[in-house]
Amino acid sequence: MSSYNKVEAPKKLIKNGLRVDGRKPEELRPIKMEVGVLDKADGSAYVEHGRNKILVAVYGPREAHPKHIALPDRAALRCRYHMAPFSTEERRSPAPSRRDMELSKVIREALEPSILTQLYPRTTIDVFIEILQSDGGTRCAGITGASLALADAGIPLKDMVAACAVGKVDGKLVLDLNDLEDKYGEADMPIALMPNTGKITLLQMDGDLSTEEFNTAIEMAVEACKKIGQMQRESIRRKYLQGDKIA
Amino acid sequence: MSSTPSLQPLAKIERRALIESVEKGRRIDGRSPDEYRPVEIEAGVIPKAEGSAQVKLGKTKVLVGVKIDVGEPFPDTPDQGVLTVNAELVPLASPTFEPGPPDENAIELARVVDRGIRESGALDLQKLCIIPGSKVIVVFVDIYVLDHDGNLIDASALAALAALLNARMKKYELKKDEVVFKDKYEPLPVLNRPIAITTAKIGNALIVDPCLDEEYVMDARLTVTVDDGGRIRAMQKGGLGTITLKEIEAIIDMALKKSQELRKKVMEAVEQHE
Amino acid sequence: MTIFVEKRQLVLPGDLMAENGYEMGVNVYREDGKIYALKVGLAELEDRKISVVPLKGCYVPHVGDQVIGKIVDVGLSGWLLDINTAYQAMLPLSEAIGRRQTHVKTELTSILNIGDLVLAKVIAFDRTRDPLLTIRGPGLGRITSGRTMKISSTKIPRLIGRKGSMVSMIKRETGCEIIIGQNGVVVVSGRSPLKVKAALEAISMVEREAHTEGLTDRVKEHIRRIVENVELQ
C-alpha cells in the first residue's frame, strides 16, 4: 500500500464493549434506502449502509445480447458487481478483478431463487451493482439494493432478498462488520435470505469459528436480515404512499 | 478501430417532429436554443475520496471522484505531477452501455475533459512535484456516468472541475529524501477553471446542451472549452455530419457566453460544501 | 378462507394476500395453499380471484392487443419490429397486403421501411416464439405523423379509463387525436402545438398518478390551465 493512503491497523477492535465506530456488538450501522433514483434504468435503488454508498440498476427483461446467452425456458439473470476507482482508500483500477467476478456470481445466485425467471424465456434480466464508496459489507448491501431495484423494475419476485454479514473481532461475535473489522477481525460471514421463509440464498465464510460460534452467529445474521427486509418494504412503500391516498 | 454506430432508436416521424420543432426555435422539452437544462452540482458526495462531485444536467447524472497518490513522474516531465483522467460508461447508466473496457466514446469523453484541464493549466502540475525525477503527486480523475440523457461531455467536465476544486491533499514534509505525509490538508493547486460548452447542429438550428433525443437526431456537435480568461483551450467536433465556418463562429460565441454562467454554478457548489 | 388485503391496497413481492379458498389471478403465486404477491402493485379481488395490478412492468404481448411498433429491420418475407418488449415482433408480408397478392414480387421497402411507425395487432404469441403481428384491419397501418411518447404499459388501462373515459376527456379538451398501444406507446397529433403539449403532459400525469383518486378531474384542470393560459395572452 502506498505511503499516501496508509491506514494504521487498530490496536484493539473492541474497547470497553464498544467497537471502533462506537457500536455495540449486535448493532447495525445506519441504513438509508431509496428506490427509483435513475431515469434510464427499468428499476433502480440507492443504498447507504454505514459509509457504503451503493447504486443498483436493473434492465429487463430485455432481448439477450449476445444471442447465445439466451436460455430456451427462462430469463438469464446477469449480474455485475463493480467498484468505482474512487470507492476505496487506494484508487482501484476499473478493470474487473477476480474478487469482482466471484462476487458477481454469488450475488447472482443469491438473487436468482427469488425471481420467477420462467415467465420470460429467451430474455435477460441485467442487474448492475456499482459501489461508489466502500466500507465493508458491500456485497450484502449490494444484494439488498439489487432486490429493491428488481422490485422497482416490476420483475416478478417470490420475496425480497435481504443480506447482512456477521463476524468475530477480538474474540467477540459482532454484527455488520465495517472495513477495519473485516480486514483485522477473525471471521467474516455474509448471509442473504428471503425474509418470509427464512430460506438462505447466500452463505460465505472466511476465518475461524467453532460450530457453537457459527450457530450463534447465523441466528444473529438471520434476525438482522429480517430487520433489513422490513426496511426494504418500508422504503418501497414510502415511494408510493407520499401523501397520496390510495383508495 | 472505429466503426459507424448503429443508427436510430427514433422513429421517422419522431425525428421529423423534433427537427421541425427545433428549426422553428422550439425544442421538444420547451427550451430555447441557448438554454441549458437545470444544472445541479453537489461537491463532496464521496467523503472517502480525496475529492468528488456529482452533476445533474437535466436527467443526465455524472459522478467524478478524485484520488491522490504518490508516484514516479513521466520520464519526459521529471518535475511535474501526474494527472490521469479516465471515464467509465457503466452499464447501469443506459440500455446502450455494455460492460467491458472503455469503448471509443468513453475514451473520447475522458480525453476531451482531460484536454480542457491540461491545456488550461487548471491543475498546476509543477506544484505537485515532491522530489524531481523520483516522487510526485499523482491525481486520478475518474468520471463515472450514472444516467445518460445526453451531453455527457459538459456534465463530466463540470463534475471534474468541481471535484478538483473540492479535493484536499495531505501536506507533507521531506525528511532526507523520505516523504512524510501529515494529517493536515490543503486544496489542490487549481489555477484555472475550464468549462466545456457543447452545441449541436440540427438542420439549420444550433442548440446548446443537447438532450439524448436531440443527440440521436443531430448532424454534428462541437464542444468548445473556455477558461477563466475567455481563451479557447480545447475543441472537439463529433457526429456524422458537417459544420460551416459561420456556424463555428456562432458556437464559439455561445460557448463564451454560457461558460460564465456554468462557472458560477461550479463555484457556488464548491463553496457550499466548505 | 381468509383474505389479508383490501382492494387497492399497496402490496409488495412476498406479501401474503390470501389463504385457502381463493383462486390465483395475475401477478400472484401460491405456496402451501397461501397466495402471495409477485410485484409491487395494488391488490384486486374479483369474485374469488386475487390479482395484483402492477405499478411497473415489462409489456407482455397478448393475442388481440393493439400495439404501436417501429420497423427495425426488413427481411425477405416481412419486417421486424420493436414493440417495446423483450421480444422482437414479426410482421409477415401476407399480413400487410393480403394473402392473395403475395405471389406478386413486391418490394417490401416500398410498403414499409426502417423507422416507420405502425399500429398493428398481435395475432400470435407464446413464450416459445416471437410475437406475430398484422396490419390488416380497420385503423391499422402506418402512422404518418404525431408526437410519440412511451409510458409504462401497466398504466395503459388507466390512460384509457373506464369505457374510455380518460382518453376521451383528453381528446375533447385538447382537440387532439390520440392513438394508444397496449404496449405503452402513445401517439398524439393535433394542429396546435400547445394543445399537443397539453395532451402529452396529461398522459405523463396519468402515468405518474395512476394509483390515486380523482385523477380525471385533476388532469382536466391541468389541461385547461395550459390551454387557457395562452389563449388569455
Side-chain angles (χ1 to χ4, degrees):
Chain A
M1 244 220 181
S2 93
S3 56
Y4 190 90
N5 284 302
K6 200 160 50 181
V7 174
E8 288 289 327
K11 291 207 178 55
K12 285 184 97 177
L13 288 166
I14 300 197
K15 243 189 189 166
N16 300 326
L18 292 179
R19 296 150 76 173
V20 285
D21 54 9
R23 280 186 290 155
K24 298 201 213 90
E26 346 71 45
E27 211 179 313
L28 281 172
R29 285 172 288 181
I31 301 177
K32 268 197 333 206
M33 301 177 190
E34 209 187 325
V35 166
V37 294
L38 293 176
D39 183 66
K40 292 281 175 273
D42 293 325
S44 58
Y46 175 66
V47 175
E48 279 187 6
H49 187 138
R51 295 200 299 164
N52 289 310
K53 289 179 199 272
I54 293 162
L55 185 58
V56 186
V58 165
Y59 285 91
R62 58 178 175 175
E63 234 186 301
H65 279 301
K67 289 217 159 89
H68 66 80
I69 59 172
L71 299 169
D73 60 340
R74 67 181 80 175
L77 179 63
R78 284 202 300 188
C79 184
R80 182 184 190 242
Y81 168 98
H82 184 248
M83 299 181 83
F86 43 76
S87 63
T88 46
E89 295 291 353
E90 203 178 321
R91 190 229 180 218
R92 271 176 69 106
S93 158
S97 66
R98 285 159 61 88
R99 176 178 174 273
D100 292 346
M101 297 186 76
E102 185 207 350
L103 274 117
S104 298
K105 176 177 189 280
V106 296
I107 293 175
R108 178 179 58 75
E109 291 171 340
L111 297 168
E112 202 133 19
S114 70
I115 306 175
L116 263 63
T117 51
Q118 329 84 277
L119 295 180
Y120 303 103
R122 299 174 300 118
T123 67
T124 58
I125 298 172
D126 294 328
V127 178
F128 300 117
I129 300 170
E130 291 289 343
I131 311 298
L132 304 177
Q133 185 170 274
S134 140
D135 191 38
T138 54
R139 91 195 63 182
C140 291
I143 291 171
T144 301
S147 192
L148 281 170
L150 286 164
D152 185 48
I155 306 280
L157 303 172
K158 282 196 171 153
D159 194 0
M160 305 294 290
V161 179
C164 191
V166 70
K168 189 166 84 175
V169 299
D170 284 358
K172 194 137 174 61
L173 289 177
V174 296
L175 188 61
D176 191 16
L177 306 180
N178 66 25
D179 194 38
L180 281 175
E181 294 172 324
D182 192 354
K183 277 205 182 78
Y184 300 108
E186 291 118 57
D188 177 26
M189 187 162 78
I191 290 159
L193 52 75
M194 294 194 281
N196 273 352
T197 51
K199 290 197 183 151
I200 295 193
T201 61
L202 173 119
L203 176 61
Q204 290 181 286
M205 179 268 175
D206 69 83
D208 172 30
L209 290 175
S210 70
T211 45
E212 262 155 24
E213 285 173 323
F214 170 81
N215 289 328
T216 315
I218 202 148
E219 260 178 54
M220 278 173 85
V222 168
E223 272 319 297
C225 287
K226 293 201 167 148
K227 269 202 204 121
I228 291 176
Q230 265 310 103
M231 290 186 222
Q232 284 174 313
R233 307 189 98 77
E234 272 156 31
S235 70
I236 299 178
R237 277 180 210 284
R238 230 177 311 128
K239 175 167 201 238
Y240 292 105
L241 294 174
Q242 279 171 1
D244 287 326
K245 204 161 64 99
I246 297 198
Chain B
M1 187 171 62
S2 176
S3 70
T4 313
S6 76
L7 302 163
Q8 292 349 310
L10 293 187
K12 278 195 227 158
I13 61 173
E14 289 173 305
R15 293 179 65 94
R16 229 178 32 221
L18 205 158
I19 295 174
E20 274 169 20
S21 180
V22 165
E23 289 190 323
K24 286 199 196 112
R26 218 184 319 114
R27 297 166 75 167
I28 39 166
D29 54 8
R31 284 187 285 156
S32 51
D34 66 345
E35 209 183 321
Y36 262 74
R37 288 169 286 177
V39 180
E40 268 177 58
I41 307 177
E42 207 189 329
V45 291
I46 305 286
K48 236 182 170 184
E50 278 70 64
S52 59
Q54 179 173 275
V55 168
K56 288 189 194 167
L57 180 53
K59 297 191 208 143
T60 292
K61 298 177 190 70
V62 176
L63 173 63
V64 170
V66 168
K67 292 294 292 176
I68 295 175
D69 203 348
V70 157
E72 277 175 24
F74 288 121
D76 52 340
T77 51
D79 60 343
Q80 282 184 24
V82 173
L83 165 69
T84 298
V85 180
N86 185 53
E88 293 283 312
L89 299 181
V90 288
L92 68 62
S94 165
T96 56
F97 293 165
E98 294 182 359
D103 72 349
E104 61 182 26
N105 294 307
I107 291 177
E108 185 190 26
L109 175 60
R111 287 174 65 90
V112 171
V113 172
D114 179 304
R115 215 162 282 154
I117 299 172
R118 204 177 292 274
E119 298 302 326
S120 63
L123 194 58
D124 188 348
L125 295 177
Q126 224 98 28
K127 283 236 173 74
L128 295 178
C129 176
I130 305 178
I131 301 172
S134 91
K135 278 202 168 60
V136 299
I137 296 282
V138 179
V139 177
F140 295 97
V141 175
D142 284 293
I143 299 168
Y144 234 52
V145 175
L146 300 180
D147 213 345
H148 176 28
D149 195 38
N151 202 6
L152 297 179
I153 294 179
D154 292 4
S156 303
L158 281 172
L161 177 60
L164 283 170
L165 287 165
N166 169 256
R168 294 291 177 269
M169 63 180 240
K170 290 184 179 165
K171 293 191 173 175
Y172 60 86
E173 244 172 19
L174 271 180
K175 292 187 175 159
K176 286 186 192 179
D177 267 17
E178 272 289 313
V179 191
V180 176
F181 287 103
K182 306 202 265 198
D183 214 4
K184 289 212 174 88
Y185 295 84
E186 62 184 358
L188 280 175
V190 177
L191 302 182
N192 206 336
R193 295 158 306 171
I195 302 286
I197 303 287
T198 299
T199 305
K201 173 178 155 174
I202 296 182
N204 56 28
L206 294 176
I207 51 171
V208 87
D209 181 29
C211 65
L212 190 61
D213 281 351
E214 290 171 331
E215 283 185 354
Y216 283 139
V217 150
M218 70 186 180
D219 297 319
R221 59 155 160 85
L222 180 62
T223 303
V224 178
T225 304
V226 179
D227 74 3
D228 280 346
R231 302 186 71 78
I232 302 172
R233 295 299 186 154
M235 291 176 105
Q236 185 92 347
K237 175 255 179 193
L240 303 175
T242 63
I243 21 176
T244 64
L245 278 176
K246 242 186 158 184
E247 286 166 341
I248 295 173
E249 268 174 50
I251 291 173
I252 292 177
D253 278 339
M254 181 89 87
L256 288 168
K257 194 173 77 173
K258 300 311 276 188
S259 60
Q260 295 180 37
E261 264 173 55
L262 291 181
R263 190 173 293 112
K264 233 201 262 163
K265 292 224 154 110
V266 171
M267 298 319 293
E268 276 164 16
V270 168
E271 266 143 47
Q272 224 172 50
H273 183 256
E274 272 157 22
Chain C
M1 230 185 72
T2 346
I3 188 165
F4 297 96
V5 294
E6 286 174 10
K7 257 190 117 155
R8 296 186 63 74
Q9 178 179 327
L10 181 69
V11 291
L12 308 182
D15 273 351
L16 175 60
M17 297 181 78
E19 273 179 329
N20 287 313
Y22 285 90
E23 276 168 47
M24 290 201 301
V26 291
N27 298 310
V28 294
Y29 73 99
R30 197 201 299 268
E31 209 164 85
D32 291 337
K34 303 200 179 106
I35 296 182
Y36 299 88
L38 276 176
K39 296 191 183 184
V40 179
L42 302 183
E44 263 280 314
L45 176 61
E46 225 179 283
D47 298 329
R48 293 263 203 77
K49 255 208 215 159
I50 302 236
S51 295
V52 174
V53 177
L55 294 180
K56 259 208 221 179
C58 160
Y59 168 64
V60 177
H62 289 105
V63 173
D65 276 355
Q66 198 170 262
V67 296
I68 297 175
K70 184 178 66 183
I71 311 278
V72 293
D73 205 355
V74 185
L76 290 170
S77 55
W79 300 267
L80 289 177
L81 288 87
D82 168 7
I83 57 168
N84 197 27
T85 184
Y87 305 100
Q88 219 172 40
M90 283 203 314
L91 174 64
L93 179 60
S94 56
E95 289 302 333
I97 60 170
R99 246 147 281 201
R100 273 173 289 144
Q101 296 165 292
T102 50
H103 67 283
V104 175
K105 196 157 167 216
T106 328
E107 182 60 57
L108 272 87
T109 54
S110 63
I111 305 169
L112 287 173
N113 212 340
I114 294 181
D116 279 333
L117 220 56
V118 296
L119 180 63
K121 213 175 208 197
V122 178
I123 54 176
F125 175 66
D126 63 59
R127 296 190 202 259
T128 64
R129 53 183 182 158
D130 290 337
L132 208 61
L133 306 175
T134 184
I135 54 172
R136 299 176 62 220
L140 302 181
R142 197 162 68 95
I143 297 174
T144 52
S145 68
R147 293 282 307 272
T148 345
M149 75 181 285
K150 272 197 200 147
I151 67 173
S152 175
S153 59
T154 54
K155 309 285 168 81
I156 292 287
R158 192 72 192 84
L159 178 61
I160 296 174
R162 219 173 329 171
K163 300 206 182 141
S165 53
M166 177 70 84
V167 66
S168 313
M169 180 276 290
I170 300 176
K171 283 194 218 179
R172 231 178 14 245
E173 295 288 325
T174 61
C176 289
E177 207 201 307
I178 301 178
I179 309 176
I180 299 181
Q182 301 282 84
N183 58 340
V185 182
V186 182
V187 179
V188 176
S189 48
R191 238 103 29 114
S192 149
L194 181 70
K195 294 192 175 165
V196 168
K197 177 181 170 196
L200 292 171
E201 277 192 31
I203 296 169
S204 240
M205 206 175 156
V206 172
E207 182 187 24
R208 264 192 328 267
E209 305 179 27
H211 55 288
T212 59
E213 268 193 273
L215 187 57
T216 317
D217 288 329
R218 267 181 290 133
V219 175
K220 197 192 314 204
E221 263 306 301
H222 189 77
I223 296 175
R224 292 207 170 154
R225 245 178 291 136
I226 299 178
V227 173
E228 276 154 29
N229 198 15
V230 174
E231 283 173 354
L232 279 174
Q233 289 171 356

